[in-house]
Amino acid sequence: ELTCASCHGSHEFDTRTAAVDSCVGCHDDAHSLAYRSSPHFSLWQAEMAGTAPTGSGVSCATCHMPRELGSDDGIRRVLVQHNQNLN
């Protein structure tokens, strides 16, 4: 069963880890394993290192975790939709 801690860890909320490492930690198919040798991963590494503009990297979550506008506390922001059935 997947829980929040499956991807984000139980003692810290790290979206960077969840966006790539958590995915390839479970998904052992050719598509997922090829990610680390792809141009997408190079872009992601550059963005995370601060040598590329924000939003220029492509993680697993960029394509496989739908985004939506939300306002749960009155502040509009982009939220990740964790329901994979909507993907």
Side-chain angles (χ1 to χ4, degrees):
E1 178 180 338
L2 288 175
T3 67
C4 298
S6 300
C7 299
H8 293 285
S10 56
H11 296 289
E12 61 183 27
F13 185 81
D14 184 351
T15 57
R16 290 179 180 195
T17 297
V20 173
D21 295 336
S22 294
C23 300
V24 295
C26 291
H27 293 275
D28 194 20
D29 58 278
H31 173 78
S32 299
L33 295 176
Y35 171 75
R36 290 195 190 272
S37 61
S38 74
H40 295 307
F41 185 60
S42 297
L43 290 169
W44 175 252
Q45 286 183 306
E47 181 182 346
M48 294 303 101
T51 59
T54 301
S56 63
V58 181
S59 70
C60 303
T62 302
C63 297
H64 298 285
M65 298 294 289
R67 304 300 198 267
E68 61 187 24
L69 290 176
S71 178
D72 57 350
D73 58 1
I75 299 172
R76 289 179 48 92
R77 58 178 59 101
V78 176
L79 303 172
V80 175
Q81 173 50 261
H82 287 80
N83 182 348
Q84 286 296 291
N85 293 325
L86 296 178
N87 188 351

